[in-house]
Amino acid sequence: MAFIHPSAEVDKTAQIADSAEIARGAYVGPHCVIGENVKIGMNAIVECHTEIGDGTILAPNAHIGGAPQDYSFKNEDTKLIIGKNCVIREFAPIHRATTKEDWKTEIGDNCLIMALSHIGHDCKFGNNVILVASMIPGHIHVDDYALISGYAALHQGVHIGTMAMVSGMSRISLDVPPYCIAADAIKGRIAGLNVVGLKRRGVSAEARMELSRALKIFLNRSYSLDEAKERLKDLNQLDEVVKFREFIEASSRRGITRV
C-alpha cells in the first residue's frame, strides 16, 4: 500500500503504485499514473493526465502537469510523461502539451531538472538531460546527455543535439549540433566541442579528433551548407560523426547555428 500522508489529496481516478510516497500537502489530480518508488514531496502538485516513471522524485513545491500556456488550448486531455529516475526540484513547473503535435510533453529517464527551471508544452527531452534554472518554451527538443546552463534563453522550436552544452546566459535562436558548446549572451555561437562532456562519456580520442574535423568543416563559411554536408561524408564515419552529420542533414524548424 502506498504511503499517502493524511493531508495529501489524491483524485480517485489516479493510479498510485504500492511503493510510492506522497508527502504532506501534496496533490495528485485526475488520470495520473504514479510509478513504483516515486516520491512526491511536500506541497508538490501533479495536476492531471500525467505519468511519472519509477523512481522519480518530485521535490517540495514542484508543480507538473499543468495546462500549457497557449491561447488556443481548450482544456483537451493532453499529457505529460516523465521517465524513470528523474529528479525535479522545487518550483520547477513542467506543462502538458497542446494539440499541435502529438499531444504529449515528454521527459526521458535520469533527467535532472533543477530548481526554478520551467519546461513548456510539447517539449521532448531525451535521457540524462540536465537543466539548470532556465526557462524552456514550447516545442523544444533536447537530446540525450545535453546540458543547458543557468538562465539560458531558447527560442521556441530549437533542437539541442546529443551531449551539447548551452552555456549560462546564452541566447539560442537556432539549433545546436551534437557535441558542441553554444555560448554567447547576444546570439548563440558555437564555441567549440564539448570536450569535457565527451571525455566524461567515454568518447574515444579518435572520435573526438574526427568530430573536431567535422566541426571545422561545418563552421567553414567558404563552403555552402550543402558542400559542407558532402565534405562531412569524407570523414571516418564513426558513430559520433554519423550522428553529427545526420543532425546537420535533418530538417530544422529554426535552422542550425553555424557561427
Side-chain angles (χ1 to χ4, degrees), residues 145 162-163 179 193-212 238-241 243:
Y145 294 102
T162 298
M163 230 179 292
Y179 313 112
L193 285 180
N194 182 13
V195 176
V196 172
L198 290 166
K199 289 180 179 179
R200 285 177 177 171
R201 296 306 313 157
V203 175
S204 69
E206 180 187 11
R208 298 198 304 270
M209 182 63 71
E210 208 67 2
L211 281 171
S212 180
L238 302 170
D239 289 345
E240 293 81 3
V241 174
K243 187 178 287 290

Side-chain angles (χ1 to χ4, degrees), residues 93-95 105 107 113 117-121 123 125 131 134 136-137:
I94 307 176
H95 290 168
T105 301
I107 308 299
I113 311 301
S117 297
H118 163 78
I119 300 175
H121 58 81
C123 287
F125 277 37
L131 179 61
S134 288
I136 305 300

Side-chain angles (χ1 to χ4, degrees), residues 91-257:
F91 307 107
I94 307 176
H95 290 168
R96 300 187 341 264
T98 64
T99 60
K100 295 176 180 177
E101 292 191 24
D102 62 0
W103 291 46
K104 293 183 290 187
T105 301
E106 295 182 276
I107 308 299
D109 298 338
N110 306 304
C111 292
L112 173 56
I113 311 301
M114 293 192 188
L116 305 179
S117 297
H118 163 78
I119 300 175
H121 58 81
D122 300 283
C123 287
K124 307 290 186 188
F125 277 37
N127 300 324
N128 301 284
V129 173
I130 299 175
L131 179 61
V132 185
S134 288
M135 302 296 175
I136 305 300
H139 306 283
I140 298 285
H141 286 214
V142 182
D143 293 340
D144 296 351
Y145 294 102
L147 168 61
I148 301 175
S149 299
Y151 304 106
L154 278 64
H155 194 285
Q156 294 91 335
V158 158
H159 186 178
I160 306 298
T162 298
M163 230 179 292
M165 176 180 177
V166 176
S167 295
M169 307 284 292
S170 295
R171 189 181 76 178
I172 306 298
S173 59
L174 300 173
D175 295 352
V176 177
Y179 313 112
C180 293
I181 295 175
D184 195 312
I186 303 301
K187 182 178 181 181
R189 300 176 185 274
I190 302 300
L193 285 180
N194 182 13
V195 176
V196 172
L198 290 166
K199 289 180 179 179
R200 285 177 177 171
R201 296 306 313 157
V203 175
S204 69
E206 180 187 11
R208 298 198 304 270
M209 182 63 71
E210 208 67 2
L211 281 171
S212 180
R213 295 189 181 104
L215 183 59
K216 186 174 181 180
I217 290 169
F218 175 67
L219 295 179
N220 187 342
R221 297 303 294 268
S222 68
Y223 303 138
S224 69
L225 183 56
D226 286 340
E227 289 171 337
K229 291 175 182 177
E230 288 301 313
R231 288 181 175 270
L232 290 174
K233 294 178 182 178
D234 295 332
L235 298 175
N236 186 356
Q237 297 299 295
L238 302 170
D239 289 345
E240 293 81 3
V241 174
V242 170
K243 187 178 287 290
F244 182 92
R245 179 173 57 79
E246 289 178 345
F247 187 98
I248 303 304
E249 292 174 348
S251 60
S252 168
R253 293 182 182 184
R254 297 288 308 160
I256 303 176
T257 302

